[in-house]
Amino acid sequence: MVGEVNNELLESLIDVEELYQNAPCGYFSFLPNGTIVKINRTFLNWLGYAEEEIVLQKKFTDLISKGSVIYYEMVYLPLLKIQGQVNEINFDIIRKNGLCFPALINSAVIKDKTGELRAINVTVYDITDRKKYEKELFLAKSLAEAEKKRFEFLTNLIPEIIWTASPKGEIDYVNQRFYDYFGSETSGFSAEYLISRVYSADRKKTVRAWLACLKNGRDFHCEVRLQNKSDGYQWHLLRAMPYRESQGDITKWFGSCANIHDHVIALQRKDEFINIASHELKTPITSLKAYNQLLQRMESSDKVKDFVDKSATTLSNLHFLVSSLLDVSQINSGQLNLSLSTTSLSRVLKHSIELISLNYSSHQIVEEFDKTEDLLVTADPQRLTQVMINLLSNAIKYSPNSNKVVLKVTKNESRSVAKIEVIDFGLGIPAEKVDLVFNKYYRVTDTKNNNRVSGLGLGLYIIQNIVKLHGSRINVKSEVNFGSTFYFSLPITEES
Ligand code: ADP
């Protein structure tokens, strides 16, 4: 025996009357004929009756609605007699003032020694709040269903393929156009099916790009060959944007898929034409330049000299243009190769500044790096100069209202990497366009003054590829009307 129970303590434990009266749920007991013989204070308060108005005065059926009375007689009582207890029954209870409230009833019978039914004990839970929430939930669900139907109706009107995906990237809806276009069964859609439609060589890059967008929440944009019902593999543009709730969490991805085959083929033809044309143009331009140099050395009047100088400048611009087009075709065909060697970074920077200063006198190039030390990097000096000239000339071209550009070189803590920055205080680039400026032929056209600067939109595309071939990546930070910083890093092989 663990210990003795004191009699007084035992009595106070048994005295549960107070608990019964003030319990958070209603209690009452009734005889098999329905007459209520005991009821607690909580339930009386809910009903609005005094105890003497209920006990031996009212039957259970007096306290419930007509519908509940039918259920009481047809289901509840027979069940109680068979099972001895009935739980979680819904009854509408009528208060003294005639108003009803929904209640959940649990009941258990009391029998005498002979097994005769003596009374029924009942607990009552007021479920008004629960019913209210259930109603609100039902309403919200109906609204969501209606919204979904409207969305589906709209997406089926659009001639484009529309799809949605969960925040994890699982495609959970495709519109009717998808099934018509790919000729698949409406019931047969799955992520695997979609992947099977992607041209095998494009699969890896598509999945990788999609996973990267899911990870960083950025817009998805991927050109990929997909096999449709009638035309075999064709180029398509897959796009998706994350939908964020007010707290910023992504709750859905909304996507589209458009056939851009004709456009891509036209671009390919254009690239092929540019490739051939620039190759053909390079030889005559080189000989024209040579003749021009000869003319510059010959005795002539000032007027002729002026004409010859002007034609030399025009020829240089033409040469630069054709070289850019050739670079692009080499990049397109994967034939842009570097001649890597141990290169003095300071010398490349100095040379680039000299060349830039010959063409642009409007801006001062502020050199923010230690000119006494030389950093050696593994690079193609000619191509690296091309990168620097492009960045510096852009910095000058796109800052018409300022007169300086900063060229900065910093080393990381372990002095193993040099970071090269070209900083301007010019027009800047709108945030939504920053990632696009490295695209082929892309030019920002909506910035004030930007339209006045001539260009092909190829420079950043070319130098991005050159920097990539050096094992690095060119980046940009920019703010409209404050300026831009283009930067990239190179590993240092040696310092002197
Ligand atoms: P281009 O200068 O011939 O147009 P680029 O490829 O060098 O081609 O640049 C692409 C576009 O990026 C430019 O048209 C311009 O809109 C924008 N851009 C490049 N550099 C800067 C800069 N430093 N400041 C503002 N905009 C820039």
Side-chain angles (χ1 to χ4, degrees), residues 300-326:
S300 57
S301 68
D302 283 353
K303 206 167 180 187
V304 171
K305 244 190 174 52
D306 185 39
F307 286 159
V308 173
D309 285 349
K310 277 187 179 137
S311 79
T313 313
T314 314
L315 272 174
S316 283
N317 290 342
L318 192 60
H319 187 246
F320 174 76
L321 222 134
V322 171
S323 301
S324 297
L325 294 175
L326 267 176

Side-chain angles (χ1 to χ4, degrees), residues 385-439:
T385 308
Q386 183 181 351
V387 171
M388 293 316 303
I389 286 187
N390 202 293
L391 291 180
L392 288 167
S393 63
N394 273 357
I396 294 171
K397 280 192 316 189
Y398 298 106
S399 57
N401 300 324
S402 116
N403 59 4
K404 76 166 182 182
V405 165
V406 176
L407 174 54
K408 189 171 170 184
V409 181
T410 44
K411 286 169 288 181
N412 66 344
E413 228 169 272
S414 60
R415 308 176 76 83
S416 56
V417 174
K419 181 178 177 192
I420 301 134
E421 291 169 89
V422 175
I423 306 161
D424 70 56
F425 308 91
L427 304 173
I429 303 164
E432 69 279 9
K433 310 263 161 87
V434 160
D435 286 340
L436 302 175
V437 294
F438 296 100
N439 289 353

Side-chain angles (χ1 to χ4, degrees), residues 390 394-395 397-398 424 428-429 437 442-444 450 455-460 484 486:
N390 202 293
N394 273 357
K397 280 192 316 189
Y398 298 106
D424 70 56
I429 303 164
V437 294
Y442 186 82
R443 307 199 71 220
V444 180
N450 202 326
L456 280 182
L458 289 176
L460 288 179
S484 313
F486 283 83

Side-chain angles (χ1 to χ4, degrees), residues 366-386:
V366 181
E367 298 166 39
E368 278 190 17
F369 53 90
D370 188 350
K371 278 170 238 143
T372 59
E373 70 174 358
D374 196 9
L375 301 178
L376 298 181
V377 292
T378 304
D380 180 328
Q382 256 183 332
R383 289 295 186 185
L384 195 53
T385 308
Q386 183 181 351

